[in-house]
Amino acid sequence: MYKPLDTLTDEEIKKILASGSFDELAMLPLSVGMHHANWKIAQTLCVKLAGHTDERIRANAILGLAYIAMTKGKLEKHIVKPLLLRELRTNVEYKW
């Protein structure tokens, strides 16, 4: 069932990163990518989560980067492109 992405405060983001459930952590880059006012903070968070051990969280981090590009029109290509290429090569479960 569809549920709109939550708009999270910086404090809520910190709580999820510190001790959130798996589902909260998986949704975090999507919410931040769509709603965070600062594209650089959102990118930094998505880049961090793109290094997670879980494929679903990494895939959502990449999708979060796409949301930043769509909503803010900004990303640092030299940082983001290698992550995108890595995930396309290695993430078997969540290949688009």
Side-chain angles (χ1 to χ4, degrees):
M1 178 157 133
Y2 174 77
K3 179 185 177 255
L5 293 168
D6 294 330
T7 301
L8 302 169
T9 66
D10 288 338
E11 191 60 38
E12 290 170 320
I13 292 168
K14 288 177 189 174
K15 278 185 179 179
I16 292 170
L17 286 171
S19 60
S21 71
F22 177 83
D23 287 336
E24 288 175 318
L25 198 55
M27 295 306 294
L28 181 60
L30 302 178
S31 295
V32 169
M34 185 63 73
H35 297 296
H36 202 283
N38 185 316
W39 72 269
K40 180 72 170 167
I41 291 172
Q43 176 186 277
T44 300
L45 182 117
C46 289
V47 166
K48 176 181 178 172
L49 292 175
H52 198 276
T53 57
D54 186 86
E55 287 184 329
R56 178 177 162 205
I57 292 173
R58 289 196 319 268
N60 281 357
I62 298 302
L63 192 52
L65 291 168
Y67 288 179
I68 297 165
M70 289 186 294
T71 61
K72 307 299 185 282
K74 294 182 181 182
L75 282 176
E76 293 175 294
K77 183 178 176 180
H78 69 282
I79 294 172
V80 172
K81 186 177 178 181
L83 299 174
L84 296 173
L85 294 173
R86 184 194 70 212
E87 282 305 300
L88 286 171
R89 283 191 311 271
T90 62
N91 196 331
V92 176
E93 184 68 25
Y94 296 95
K95 231 177 193 138
W96 304 289

